[in-house]
């Protein structure tokens, strides 16, 4: 069992930055992949970024070059550094834990409760 708790969301102006954190419990954290997804009301949850247990990172085209995912296995924590934020980045951001790094939402077994990110224009 893995429990995930996100933090770091908030309100920021366009062009600004935020860093999201996701703290995980459970001894399997370091041997599994972590992902970030986001969702706006009325739309499906979409892939943002994922990082493998060895640190390999993959991004959606919409955030590539602006967002950076990283992990600290000693702290059981994964981060999402978000720079050059745009109003269209506004969403609830969720972290997720699964056996491998993938864009596929259904591959992740555990999810956090989400944290709101709002980017004003």
């Amino acid at each position: 069992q893995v429990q995930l708790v996100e933090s770091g969301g908030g309100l920021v102006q366009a062009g600004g930055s935020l860093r999201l954190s996701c703290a995980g419990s459970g001894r399997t954290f370091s041997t599994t992949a972590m992902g970030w997804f986001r969702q706006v009301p009325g739309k499906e949850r979409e892939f943002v970024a994922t990082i493998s247990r060895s640190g390999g990172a993959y991004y959606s085209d919409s955030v590539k070059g602006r967002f950076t995912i990283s992990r600290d296995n000693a702290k059981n924590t994964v981060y999402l550094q978000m720079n050059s934020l745009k109003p269209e980045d506004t969403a609830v951001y969720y972290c997720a834990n699964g056996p491998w790094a993938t864009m596929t939402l259904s591959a992740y077994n555990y999810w956090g409760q989400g944290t709101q990110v709002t980017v004003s224009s």
Side-chain angles (χ1 to χ4, degrees):
Q1 189 81 3
V2 175
Q3 293 184 327
L4 304 171
V5 179
E6 302 100 334
S7 62
L11 174 64
V12 64
Q13 289 188 331
S17 298
L18 281 175
R19 189 177 81 155
L20 305 183
S21 299
C22 174
S25 64
R27 291 184 292 179
T28 63
F29 183 90
S30 64
T31 64
T32 53
M34 295 295 298
W36 285 98
F37 290 76
R38 65 188 182 186
Q39 189 171 23
V40 297
K43 292 191 175 181
E44 293 186 353
R45 195 168 297 187
E46 68 171 7
F47 168 75
V48 174
T50 185
I51 186 166
S52 69
R53 58 185 179 182
S54 61
Y58 309 92
Y59 301 91
S60 69
D61 288 342
S62 62
V63 308
K64 197 174 297 180
R66 300 187 298 122
F67 291 10
T68 303
I69 189 171
S70 61
R71 65 189 299 164
D72 184 339
N73 289 334
K75 296 182 179 180
N76 278 9
T77 301
V78 64
Y79 304 97
L80 187 68
Q81 178 66 44
M82 306 186 294
N83 299 328
S84 302
L85 283 161
K86 305 175 182 179
E88 51 264 42
D89 294 318
T90 295
V92 177
Y93 283 71
Y94 298 89
C95 67
N97 175 274
W100 57 82
T102 175
M103 297 170 51
T104 305
L105 186 149
S106 61
Y108 292 86
N109 300 318
Y110 302 101
W111 293 83
Q113 82 289 349
T115 185
Q116 176 70 47
V117 171
T118 303
V119 184
S120 63
S121 58

